[in-house]
Amino acid sequence: MAAAAAAAAAGEDYWGLFREETDWYNEIFLSAVVPGGGGWWRALPHPLRSWLRNCIGGYLLYFATGFLWCFVIYYWKRNAYIPKDAVPTVEAMKKQIIVASKAMPFYCALPSVSEHMIESGWTRCFFHISEVGWPMYFVYVALYLTFVEFGIYWMHRELHDIKPLYKHLHATHHIYNKENTLSPFAGLAFHPLDGILQAISHVIALFILPVHFRTHVALIFIEAVWTANIHDCIHGKVWPVMGAGYHTIHHTTYRHNYGHYTVWMDWLFGTLREPEDLLKKD
């Protein structure tokens, strides 16, 4: 990119800015949460420190989001959003937590690898929004999200259509196929490779589009919050958002609503099924 070329011409290390940023993340976060005095984690190679930060952060985000969602919808607002017979059992949620917990270290390798590639200058990431200006920043964010939406849609659809992929990977997630088995904890209850494949478009986009680094990092972790949301079986009715009402249909029919953030890809490729349509049929 132009900024990187200008920095190189001036003898500055443009890509070092990214490493300084992730070093700062590691220092702030790990010094606050890692047990044991002395900062033993500082002796680890930089990529391992970043993975450790992402992994611990992933666990904390998963459990904080899951328990908060469950407290609100199953206890505090008991039966206000979900019928009593649709509340998942504690046993079902425990199983989801176990599956997600086993997969989390593998999930967190993906953002760690993407950070290393960015720090090495292999991607089109840029550091300062001022390098492109606010109008183009929003254009690039829109293109990035569109690319990610397209990638997740087709990866998810092929995980259903290609039978060996479904049998050996995606079926792990589709054990939870009814309202009384789905919960916010099911959002990350995947086979590790399945979860990585569905998120891989976040990384591929970095080689195709200019992406603001901090925005990329934020969107990766927003994934954890979003997946909890779309598995809580509460239909938010905010068009064109692919809310839980749509995703619950996906878990019950297996052939509809493969999208992630919006309904647009399902509408475009003919796999959209509205929650209202299901109610009319019933």
Side-chain angles (χ1 to χ4, degrees):
M1 293 184 66
E12 300 173 359
D13 181 13
Y14 178 79
W15 302 109
L17 294 172
F18 297 93
R19 172 150 181 161
E20 289 175 10
E21 180 82 0
T22 54
D23 269 333
W24 180 64
Y25 295 161
N26 294 342
E27 186 68 30
I28 294 295
F29 184 76
L30 293 177
S31 62
V33 303
V34 173
W40 56 266
W41 49 268
R42 292 188 182 94
L44 297 174
H46 177 74
L48 281 180
R49 292 199 301 272
S50 295
W51 172 82
L52 183 63
R53 177 248 303 165
N54 288 329
C55 195
I56 296 174
Y59 278 116
L60 291 176
L61 194 59
Y62 174 71
F63 285 110
T65 304
F67 281 116
L68 177 62
W69 247 253
C70 290
F71 173 75
V72 171
I73 64 180
Y74 302 145
Y75 297 99
W76 183 29
K77 298 290 186 179
R78 183 185 295 271
N79 306 138
Y81 301 120
I82 296 175
K84 186 176 181 180
D85 60 356
V87 175
T89 64
V90 172
E91 189 62 30
M93 289 188 281
K94 283 181 179 178
K95 290 179 180 178
Q96 292 160 12
I97 289 171
I98 290 170
V99 172
S101 296
K102 288 179 178 179
M104 189 69 71
F106 299 95
Y107 295 159
C108 293
L110 185 65
S112 304
V113 169
S114 75
E115 288 176 22
H116 177 71
M117 292 189 294
I118 292 166
E119 293 162 5
S120 301
W122 301 344
T123 70
R124 300 189 66 189
C125 263
F126 59 91
F127 193 79
H128 300 290
I129 294 176
S130 59
E131 295 171 37
V132 298
W134 282 100
M136 287 308 300
Y137 166 77
F138 287 113
V139 169
Y140 289 141
V141 169
L143 290 172
Y144 175 85
L145 289 173
T146 301
F147 181 89
V148 168
E149 185 78 7
F150 180 87
I152 292 177
Y153 172 87
W154 278 107
M155 182 60 71
H156 190 184
R157 186 167 172 174
E158 293 310 305
L159 283 163
H160 279 266
D161 291 346
I162 300 174
K163 299 307 178 185
L165 291 181
Y166 182 83
K167 179 180 178 181
H168 297 292
L169 299 181
H170 201 52
T172 298
H173 183 64
H174 272 278
I175 294 171
Y176 319 109
N177 59 0
K178 300 176 183 176
E179 287 189 352
N180 61 1
T181 60
L182 285 167
S183 83
F185 288 115
L188 291 178
F190 290 90
H191 184 287
L193 183 56
D194 184 354
I196 290 170
L197 286 173
Q198 292 203 56
I200 197 71
S201 56
H202 278 281
V203 177
I204 295 172
L206 303 177
F207 294 89
I208 300 171
L209 299 165
V211 180
H212 180 238
F213 177 61
R214 291 176 184 170
T215 302
H216 166 69
V217 171
L219 287 172
I220 284 284
F221 278 91
I222 285 172
E223 287 283 333
V225 179
W226 185 251
T227 55
N229 171 66
I230 63 175
H231 288 87
D232 64 14
C233 297
I234 301 173
H235 184 32
K237 300 181 181 179
V238 180
W239 188 90
V241 174
M242 176 66 74
Y246 289 99
H247 198 72
T248 303
I249 289 175
H250 172 74
H251 273 266
T252 55
T253 70
Y254 295 78
R255 306 303 302 171
H256 303 90
N257 302 354
Y258 299 101
H260 191 56
Y261 293 119
T262 73
V263 302
W264 290 336
M265 293 299 162
D266 284 284
W267 173 79
L268 182 63
F269 296 110
T271 54
L272 181 63
R273 187 169 186 181
E274 299 279 353
E276 291 78 9
D277 295 340
L278 189 65
L279 291 173
K280 288 176 184 177
K281 184 176 180 180
D282 292 342

